[in-house]
Amino acid sequence: MKQFTIKITCKDEKGLVYRISEILLENGLNIIKNDEFVDNEKALFFMRTEVSGIADPEKVIDQLKKQLGDCSIELSQNESKNVVVLVTKEHHCLADLLIRNQFKDLNFNILAVVGNYENLRELTEKFNIPFIYIPAENITRAEHEEKIKTVFKDYNYDYLVLAKFMRILSPDFVKDFEGKIINIHHSFLPAFIGANPYKQAFERGVKIIGATAHFVTNDLDEGPIIYQDIIKVSHSKTAKDLAKMGKDVERIVLANALKLVFEDKVFIDGNKTIIFE
Amino acid sequence: MKQFTIKITCKDEKGLVYRISEILLENGLNIIKNDEFVDNEKALFFMRTEVSGIADPEKVIDQLKKQLGDCSIELSQNESKNVVVLVTKEHHCLADLLIRNQFKDLNFNILAVVGNYENLRELTEKFNIPFIYIPAENITRAEHEEKIKTVFKDYNYDYLVLAKFMRILSPDFVKDFEGKIINIHHSFLPAFIGANPYKQAFERGVKIIGATAHFVTNDLDEGPIIYQDIIKVSHSKTAKDLAKMGKDVERIVLANALKLVFEDKVFIDGNKTIIFE
Amino acid sequence: MKQFTIKITCKDEKGLVYRISEILLENGLNIIKNDEFVDNEKALFFMRTEVSGIADPEKVIDQLKKQLGDCSIELSQNESKNVVVLVTKEHHCLADLLIRNQFKDLNFNILAVVGNYENLRELTEKFNIPFIYIPAENITRAEHEEKIKTVFKDYNYDYLVLAKFMRILSPDFVKDFEGKIINIHHSFLPAFIGANPYKQAFERGVKIIGATAHFVTNDLDEGPIIYQDIIKVSHSKTAKDLAKMGKDVERIVLANALKLVFEDKVFIDGNKTIIFE
Amino acid sequence: MKQFTIKITCKDEKGLVYRISEILLENGLNIIKNDEFVDNEKALFFMRTEVSGIADPEKVIDQLKKQLGDCSIELSQNESKNVVVLVTKEHHCLADLLIRNQFKDLNFNILAVVGNYENLRELTEKFNIPFIYIPAENITRAEHEEKIKTVFKDYNYDYLVLAKFMRILSPDFVKDFEGKIINIHHSFLPAFIGANPYKQAFERGVKIIGATAHFVTNDLDEGPIIYQDIIKVSHSKTAKDLAKMGKDVERIVLANALKLVFEDKVFIDGNKTIIFE
């Protein structure tokens, strides 16, 4: 008995579920969990179905593709996702991911860590993960990104995770990896979009701070939001305290977002996400 | 174009979604939102589907019943649910429900309020809802419940809501209204099951208090939980403070639970609930 | 034995606590709860002290004023705060306040409700509170505000509460009531500052929505934040759903903010608040 | 200029703040942050004061001790706390603490890790912390605890942290380290006190799970609670899912509790804590 997940995005029309479930039945598959949603504004149909049975998953997908025509159909056999992590200087998200990787707490494999500073090499190598140092100094953004892309070629990755990678990616770079890049933003978007959000939060005297994990796209704003969370703060916290407290939110928000993506529960729908939890 | 919701509970078997979606398609219905879940331990299949189309909903249900045989199939045309509210002395949940009823903030109609004290009559009647006083003094529990049941006969209710009704219902009473009674419990179940939970919470020095809305059944514990929420508290709060703060949680937990039930999103599954949000 | 609260704001200097506690001791007062905080950036000292004893509170305040010179010193004998509520068309915050007023759930008295529409008259008058209708049509903002101010003269209020009053107040008006106006804003400030925040939130695809209660000042932004809270939302909610869900957050955020202010726990410190919970 | 923190617990009486602040003033100290609370039931006075100045902190404490007589007075110069961590098999809390130790994210030093299994040795030693393996097999509880105590003698620790140490400590052991042992409990106490709380939570169908960090004492229950937090869960999670999700709560609850304790913000008050945040 195999268990696998199928993700389908189609232009909405009547009979989709019937046509899909017919194929699942013909293949002797049992539906364990199924979610469907229609985005009425865009007339798009989203479906995620977990099935079990003895059929060949690839064959099922082929039949679905024939039956449904112009739809996006993805198969997931719950395999670990392969990931390259990009970092700058801050350790907290990277350390969290390294631990989860080491103990298989998250459905992923870290293939490599790319950093524009050296300081996270020691931490990364403790966990026997290659650390690739690509400094950004004295070269153009385009040159730096070209070097990063060259590294990517060595790895068969599914996703790029920006774990506090503090450089702005060029539209060209983002375009090349559309839907593949996940970032953790150190504020509750769309509040405090610019630099130094914790300083901004301190100066504004907010009573709540947060973090946002999102796909990186070339849309306005910061791309489709996957997960957000917050903590309450008081007047007695300095900007530095907020930054420190915020790190704990960032770590957990990034981990939760990755869990959703790596369990194939997330669809990108324009500048939004559809998430079947 | 009509929009309606179908709730189906069956013994799990292959082909259920196919057979259901076939009937929906034959009736020209479009699926807007659909959720399915299988409780593997009990081998039960739960499905909730929101559809739109011009078919006669009753006819669709009849066809589904014929097709599926021994399943529970419910139709909801998003009509307001009719409700009788039971209270004792505390006003906060009742007041919240009366306001929501008055302004149609919740998909329900309060038909009447039954109280074992007189003190909430004035509040209830402000909103032109009948208040029926059934004192419990000098009579047995059975006699009191008999009087309450007699009142119920006058109303075509869907649900009974215990909005801080502080009397224990007899197993016989509960049995008569299985799956129809929703209660708000003033603690985060299963913590502090007994009387005076806020005093217990104060004495235990907890840092979080909560409330639980649940169906009332004759199972052990307190019945299937629908919704729970909490707030953080500190050492500086007295037992009285906690009780006061707790009331705000109780109100919102009850309202959220009722919203889920009245939008036909909740299935009872033994001593648990399945909720398709 | 009387119990009262003293709030002190001074320029920070050594010996303040000593000089204050000396006077409290000389008056035979026992300190029950005491909080102090220094805003280092502004070199301001904030102190809130709850005391009990038989001394005349007014006399104690006089002695403190003599001793401390150029400080702000406020006495609170835990008396109910007098409040005028301003509304436009939405009922949810007003209804919540009327219920809390009726049942003394909050340390305040609603003296009157002022509305620029008639539709909340019926609700207000159910609770025997005067409703004063001041339409804004066909007159200038200045004229409208002048009429509102004239009403205020009839009432000995401590605070003005904007319970979904959807008109922008002129800087002149705000200046006249500095530190006296509390507003509920239907977003998690500083996110979605403009109109229609729930529509903005829907379009942005956020996973969390919130509300903010704040003092209204002529500072940039929206004034010192008193309380904020949030709820998690999913892709399946429409803009209308978000607005509805948001109302429950708004009600509770406003009530929590007012509780803090009416229990004399809040100090205004520029565009921030200091809150001793 | 030195900055230090004084924690005082006295039997409540008038004039305490005056007598304390007099000494602080005589020593030229400036109060930065000060909190006081009286537990009326026990007539106990708690004070925490952060001061800055050039006085010798030890001398100040001596003067306070002379002045106040029979009170508990503690000095903290914001030095890192020394900690021995006890573990069994689960890595998640230990890993979190090792990372925080490595990057100085928490005001502590891990001196050693003691485990009754070998499996966390590799992780611990990655971070150059000694791992001491003390198996519990084939010896009595008393013998096992005796061996652990022998290890403790080698370290000048302030606190013992039970980071998922799954053995029950004997009353004798607990007594020897009263107020020094902090434990993370994998449930929202007092719910699910016994073994396998996540399985209990699954079977009960709760909609929220949580974790509790507390001091270990020989009182009933589990000792004074320091910090609790929760996450919402749905019917679709298995007992195993809950356990996995719970680990993230446990990690953060333990880290938050330790932060409070290590910043000297926590007082033990019988079976409760007083926390000045």
Side-chain angles (χ1 to χ4, degrees):
Chain A
M1 286 286 273
K2 275 164 286 191
Q3 199 163 321
F4 55 98
T5 300
I6 304 166
K7 287 171 67 183
I8 302 174
T9 310
C10 292
K11 214 172 145 31
D12 190 33
E13 60 173 313
K14 273 177 213 167
L16 283 170
V17 177
Y18 171 70
R19 287 153 64 197
I20 294 163
S21 60
E22 187 175 32
I23 289 173
L24 300 182
L25 180 60
E26 283 169 7
N27 282 280
L29 295 168
N30 194 25
I31 296 174
I32 298 160
K33 188 171 182 299
N34 189 44
D35 297 277
E36 291 149 34
F37 179 73
V38 174
D39 180 333
N40 283 315
E41 294 196 339
K42 307 197 187 88
L44 281 176
F45 167 90
F46 298 89
M47 175 169 172
R48 179 187 184 278
T49 189
E50 290 180 22
V51 295
S52 70
I54 54 164
D56 174 8
E58 305 280 2
K59 225 190 75 190
V60 175
I61 296 295
D62 282 348
Q63 290 177 22
L64 284 168
K65 282 186 176 168
K66 254 174 237 157
Q67 170 65 264
L68 296 176
D70 195 26
C71 293
S72 151
I73 301 176
E74 282 174 76
L75 167 67
S76 157
Q77 302 197 58
N78 309 320
E79 62 281 351
S80 286
K81 301 300 185 280
N82 290 315
V83 163
V84 175
V85 179
L86 283 85
V87 297
T88 295
K89 279 183 172 172
E90 288 173 275
H91 66 278
H92 56 288
C93 288
L94 175 61
D96 191 68
L97 296 181
L98 289 168
I99 295 286
R100 290 179 197 269
N101 185 63
Q102 168 88 4
F103 290 96
K104 301 288 154 225
D105 289 341
L106 197 57
N107 187 29
F108 79 150
N109 301 309
I110 301 181
L111 304 175
V113 175
V114 175
N116 55 321
Y117 286 87
E118 275 277 32
N119 72 309
L120 296 173
R121 177 185 294 281
E122 192 198 328
L123 174 67
T124 304
E125 293 181 348
K126 264 191 214 310
F127 293 91
N128 304 315
I129 305 289
F131 182 89
I132 299 144
Y133 171 46
I134 308 184
E137 276 143 37
N138 304 320
I139 54 174
T140 65
R141 179 177 310 279
E143 285 164 350
H144 188 241
E145 290 185 349
E146 210 46 56
K147 285 178 184 226
I148 292 175
K149 281 193 213 172
T150 307
V151 170
F152 290 169
K153 281 176 194 148
D154 298 340
Y155 296 101
N156 185 23
Y157 60 86
D158 299 297
Y159 292 100
L160 306 173
V161 175
L162 311 185
K164 306 295 288 178
F165 182 67
M166 304 308 280
R167 294 177 55 82
I168 291 161
L169 294 170
S170 72
D172 279 352
F173 187 97
V174 170
K175 207 180 155 197
D176 285 356
F177 304 97
E178 190 92 23
K180 298 280 179 203
I181 314 176
I182 296 160
N183 182 47
I184 177 71
H185 184 89
H186 45 182
S187 92
F188 174 85
L189 288 175
F192 305 128
I193 291 185
N196 250 329
Y198 295 114
K199 191 156 172 289
Q200 287 183 62
F202 171 73
E203 280 165 5
R204 183 61 191 83
V206 294
K207 300 300 186 189
I208 286 179
I209 58 170
T212 303
H214 59 94
F215 286 106
V216 178
T217 63
N218 281 323
D219 282 342
L220 287 183
D221 300 319
E222 307 270 342
I225 293 170
I226 305 165
Y227 197 84
Q228 302 188 290
D229 211 346
I230 58 101
I231 45 168
K232 301 207 169 185
V233 298
S234 80
H235 64 269
S236 70
K237 305 299 175 194
T238 63
K240 211 175 141 189
D241 291 335
L242 297 187
K244 215 164 174 178
M245 296 169 78
K247 283 175 187 180
D248 277 342
V249 188
E250 292 168 19
R251 287 194 318 161
I252 210 84
V253 165
L254 179 58
N256 283 344
L258 294 181
K259 188 171 189 292
L260 291 168
V261 172
F262 297 165
E263 290 177 353
D264 301 296
K265 292 180 171 165
V266 182
F267 294 74
I268 297 181
D269 177 24
N271 72 331
K272 299 185 188 184
T273 58
I274 309 295
I275 301 181
F276 295 128
E277 265 190 87
Chain B
M1 288 286 274
K2 274 163 287 191
Q3 200 164 321
F4 55 98
T5 300
I6 304 167
K7 285 170 69 183
I8 301 174
T9 309
C10 292
K11 215 173 145 29
D12 189 34
E13 60 174 314
K14 273 178 212 166
L16 283 170
V17 178
Y18 171 70
R19 285 152 66 196
I20 293 163
S21 59
E22 186 176 34
I23 288 174
L24 301 181
L25 180 62
E26 283 170 7
N27 282 279
L29 294 168
N30 195 24
I31 296 174
I32 298 161
K33 188 172 181 301
N34 189 44
D35 297 277
E36 292 149 34
F37 179 73
V38 174
D39 181 332
N40 283 313
E41 294 197 338
K42 308 197 187 87
L44 282 175
F45 167 88
F46 298 89
M47 176 170 172
R48 178 188 186 276
T49 190
E50 290 180 22
V51 295
S52 70
I54 54 163
D56 175 6
E58 306 279 3
K59 222 188 77 189
V60 175
I61 296 294
D62 282 349
Q63 291 177 20
L64 284 168
K65 282 185 177 168
K66 252 174 241 158
Q67 170 64 266
L68 297 176
D70 195 25
C71 293
S72 151
I73 301 175
E74 283 174 74
L75 167 68
S76 157
Q77 303 196 56
N78 309 319
E79 64 281 352
S80 286
K81 301 299 184 281
N82 290 316
V83 163
V84 175
V85 179
L86 283 86
V87 297
T88 294
K89 280 183 171 172
E90 288 172 276
H91 66 276
H92 57 287
C93 287
L94 174 62
D96 190 68
L97 295 180
L98 289 168
I99 295 287
R100 289 179 197 269
N101 185 64
Q102 167 88 6
F103 290 95
K104 301 288 152 225
D105 289 341
L106 196 58
N107 187 28
F108 79 149
N109 301 309
I110 300 180
L111 304 174
V113 175
V114 175
N116 55 320
Y117 287 87
E118 275 278 30
N119 71 309
L120 296 173
R121 175 185 295 281
E122 192 196 326
L123 173 68
T124 304
E125 292 182 348
K126 263 191 213 310
F127 293 92
N128 304 315
I129 304 288
F131 182 89
I132 299 144
Y133 171 46
I134 308 185
E137 276 143 36
N138 304 322
I139 54 174
T140 64
R141 180 177 309 280
E143 284 165 349
H144 188 241
E145 289 185 349
E146 210 46 56
K147 286 180 181 222
I148 291 176
K149 281 194 213 172
T150 308
V151 170
F152 290 169
K153 282 179 193 146
D154 298 341
Y155 296 100
N156 185 23
Y157 60 87
D158 299 297
Y159 292 100
L160 305 174
V161 175
L162 310 186
K164 305 294 288 178
F165 182 68
M166 304 308 279
R167 293 178 56 82
I168 291 161
L169 295 170
S170 72
D172 280 352
F173 187 97
V174 169
K175 208 181 154 195
D176 285 357
F177 304 96
E178 190 93 23
K180 297 282 179 203
I181 313 177
I182 296 160
N183 183 46
I184 177 70
H185 184 89
H186 46 183
S187 93
F188 174 85
L189 287 175
F192 305 129
I193 292 185
N196 251 329
Y198 296 115
K199 190 155 172 291
Q200 286 183 63
F202 171 73
E203 281 166 5
R204 182 61 190 85
V206 293
K207 300 300 184 188
I208 286 179
I209 58 170
T212 303
H214 60 94
F215 287 105
V216 178
T217 63
N218 281 324
D219 283 341
L220 286 183
D221 300 319
E222 307 270 342
I225 293 171
I226 305 165
Y227 197 84
Q228 302 188 291
D229 212 346
I230 58 100
I231 44 168
K232 300 207 169 186
V233 298
S234 78
H235 65 269
S236 70
K237 304 300 175 193
T238 63
K240 212 175 143 189
D241 291 336
L242 296 187
K244 214 164 177 181
M245 295 168 79
K247 284 176 186 179
D248 277 342
V249 188
E250 292 169 17
R251 288 193 317 161
I252 211 83
V253 165
L254 179 57
N256 282 344
L258 294 180
K259 186 170 189 295
L260 291 168
V261 173
F262 297 165
E263 291 177 355
D264 301 295
K265 291 180 172 165
V266 182
F267 294 72
I268 296 180
D269 176 25
N271 71 331
K272 299 186 188 182
T273 58
I274 308 295
I275 301 181
F276 295 129
E277 265 190 87
Chain C
M1 287 287 273
K2 272 164 289 192
Q3 199 164 319
F4 55 99
T5 300
I6 304 166
K7 285 171 68 182
I8 301 174
T9 310
C10 291
K11 213 172 147 30
D12 189 34
E13 60 174 314
K14 272 178 212 165
L16 283 170
V17 177
Y18 171 71
R19 285 152 66 196
I20 293 163
S21 60
E22 186 176 33
I23 288 174
L24 299 182
L25 180 61
E26 282 170 9
N27 281 279
L29 293 168
N30 194 25
I31 295 174
I32 297 160
K33 187 172 183 301
N34 189 45
D35 298 277
E36 292 149 33
F37 180 72
V38 174
D39 180 333
N40 282 313
E41 295 197 338
K42 307 197 187 88
L44 282 175
F45 168 89
F46 298 88
M47 176 169 170
R48 178 187 186 277
T49 189
E50 290 180 21
V51 294
S52 70
I54 55 164
D56 175 8
E58 305 279 2
K59 225 189 76 191
V60 174
I61 295 295
D62 282 349
Q63 290 177 22
L64 284 169
K65 283 185 175 166
K66 253 174 237 157
Q67 170 65 265
L68 296 177
D70 196 24
C71 294
S72 153
I73 301 175
E74 284 174 75
L75 168 67
S76 156
Q77 302 196 57
N78 307 321
E79 63 280 351
S80 287
K81 301 301 183 280
N82 290 316
V83 163
V84 176
V85 180
L86 283 85
V87 295
T88 295
K89 279 183 171 172
E90 287 173 276
H91 67 276
H92 56 287
C93 287
L94 175 62
D96 190 67
L97 296 180
L98 289 168
I99 295 286
R100 289 179 197 269
N101 185 64
Q102 167 88 4
F103 290 95
K104 300 289 153 222
D105 288 340
L106 197 58
N107 187 29
F108 80 149
N109 301 309
I110 300 180
L111 305 174
V113 175
V114 175
N116 55 321
Y117 287 87
E118 275 277 32
N119 72 309
L120 295 173
R121 176 185 295 281
E122 192 198 328
L123 173 67
T124 305
E125 293 182 346
K126 264 191 213 308
F127 293 92
N128 304 315
I129 305 289
F131 182 89
I132 299 144
Y133 171 46
I134 307 184
E137 276 143 38
N138 305 321
I139 54 175
T140 65
R141 178 176 312 278
E143 285 165 350
H144 188 241
E145 289 185 349
E146 210 47 56
K147 286 180 183 223
I148 291 175
K149 281 193 213 172
T150 307
V151 170
F152 290 169
K153 280 176 196 148
D154 297 341
Y155 297 101
N156 185 23
Y157 60 86
D158 299 297
Y159 292 100
L160 305 173
V161 175
L162 310 185
K164 305 293 290 176
F165 182 68
M166 304 308 281
R167 294 178 56 81
I168 291 161
L169 295 169
S170 72
D172 280 352
F173 187 97
V174 170
K175 207 179 156 197
D176 285 357
F177 303 97
E178 188 93 24
K180 298 280 179 203
I181 314 178
I182 296 160
N183 183 47
I184 177 70
H185 183 89
H186 45 183
S187 92
F188 174 85
L189 286 175
F192 305 128
I193 293 185
N196 250 329
Y198 294 114
K199 190 155 172 290
Q200 286 184 63
F202 171 73
E203 280 165 5
R204 183 61 191 84
V206 294
K207 301 299 185 188
I208 286 179
I209 58 170
T212 304
H214 60 93
F215 286 106
V216 178
T217 63
N218 282 323
D219 282 341
L220 287 181
D221 300 318
E222 307 270 341
I225 293 170
I226 305 165
Y227 197 86
Q228 302 188 290
D229 212 347
I230 57 100
I231 43 167
K232 300 206 169 183
V233 298
S234 78
H235 64 268
S236 70
K237 305 299 175 193
T238 63
K240 211 175 144 190
D241 291 335
L242 297 187
K244 214 164 178 181
M245 294 168 80
K247 283 176 187 179
D248 277 342
V249 187
E250 292 169 18
R251 287 194 317 161
I252 210 84
V253 164
L254 179 58
N256 281 345
L258 294 180
K259 186 170 190 295
L260 291 168
V261 173
F262 298 165
E263 290 177 353
D264 301 295
K265 292 181 171 163
V266 183
F267 294 74
I268 296 180
D269 177 23
N271 71 331
K272 299 186 189 182
T273 58
I274 308 295
I275 301 181
F276 295 129
E277 266 190 87
Chain D
M1 288 286 273
K2 273 163 288 192
Q3 199 163 320
F4 54 99
T5 301
I6 305 166
K7 287 170 67 183
I8 301 174
T9 310
C10 293
K11 217 175 143 28
D12 190 33
E13 61 174 312
K14 272 179 212 166
L16 283 171
V17 177
Y18 171 70
R19 287 152 65 197
I20 294 163
S21 60
E22 187 176 31
I23 288 174
L24 300 182
L25 180 61
E26 283 170 7
N27 282 279
L29 294 169
N30 194 24
I31 296 174
I32 298 160
K33 187 170 183 301
N34 190 43
D35 298 277
E36 291 149 32
F37 179 73
V38 174
D39 180 332
N40 282 314
E41 294 196 339
K42 307 196 187 87
L44 282 175
F45 167 89
F46 298 89
M47 175 168 171
R48 178 188 186 276
T49 188
E50 289 181 21
V51 295
S52 69
I54 55 165
D56 175 7
E58 306 278 2
K59 226 190 75 190
V60 174
I61 295 295
D62 282 349
Q63 290 178 22
L64 283 168
K65 283 185 175 167
K66 255 175 235 154
Q67 170 63 266
L68 296 177
D70 195 26
C71 294
S72 152
I73 302 175
E74 283 173 74
L75 167 67
S76 157
Q77 303 197 56
N78 308 320
E79 62 282 351
S80 286
K81 300 301 184 279
N82 290 314
V83 163
V84 175
V85 179
L86 283 86
V87 297
T88 295
K89 279 184 174 172
E90 288 173 276
H91 67 277
H92 57 287
C93 287
L94 175 62
D96 191 67
L97 296 180
L98 289 168
I99 295 286
R100 289 179 198 269
N101 185 64
Q102 167 89 4
F103 290 96
K104 299 289 153 224
D105 289 340
L106 197 58
N107 187 30
F108 79 149
N109 301 309
I110 300 181
L111 304 175
V113 174
V114 175
N116 55 321
Y117 286 88
E118 275 276 32
N119 72 308
L120 295 173
R121 177 185 295 281
E122 192 197 328
L123 174 68
T124 304
E125 293 182 347
K126 264 191 215 307
F127 293 92
N128 304 315
I129 304 288
F131 182 88
I132 299 144
Y133 171 46
I134 309 184
E137 276 144 37
N138 303 321
I139 54 174
T140 65
R141 179 177 312 278
E143 284 165 349
H144 189 241
E145 290 184 350
E146 209 48 54
K147 286 180 183 224
I148 292 175
K149 281 194 214 173
T150 307
V151 170
F152 290 169
K153 280 178 194 145
D154 297 342
Y155 296 101
N156 185 23
Y157 61 86
D158 299 297
Y159 292 100
L160 305 173
V161 175
L162 310 185
K164 306 294 289 177
F165 182 67
M166 305 308 280
R167 293 178 56 83
I168 291 161
L169 296 169
S170 72
D172 279 352
F173 187 98
V174 170
K175 207 180 156 196
D176 284 357
F177 303 97
E178 189 93 24
K180 297 282 179 202
I181 314 177
I182 297 161
N183 182 47
I184 177 70
H185 185 89
H186 45 183
S187 92
F188 174 86
L189 288 175
F192 305 129
I193 292 185
N196 250 329
Y198 295 115
K199 189 155 173 289
Q200 287 184 62
F202 171 73
E203 280 165 4
R204 183 61 192 84
V206 294
K207 300 299 185 188
I208 287 179
I209 58 169
T212 304
H214 61 93
F215 287 106
V216 178
T217 62
N218 281 322
D219 282 341
L220 287 183
D221 301 318
E222 306 271 340
I225 293 171
I226 305 165
Y227 197 85
Q228 302 188 291
D229 211 346
I230 58 101
I231 43 167
K232 302 207 168 182
V233 297
S234 78
H235 64 269
S236 70
K237 304 299 174 195
T238 62
K240 210 174 143 192
D241 291 335
L242 297 187
K244 214 164 177 181
M245 295 168 79
K247 284 176 186 179
D248 277 342
V249 188
E250 292 169 19
R251 288 194 316 162
I252 211 82
V253 164
L254 178 59
N256 282 344
L258 294 181
K259 187 170 190 292
L260 291 168
V261 172
F262 297 165
E263 291 177 352
D264 301 294
K265 292 180 171 165
V266 183
F267 294 73
I268 296 180
D269 177 24
N271 71 331
K272 299 186 189 182
T273 58
I274 308 295
I275 301 181
F276 295 129
E277 264 189 88

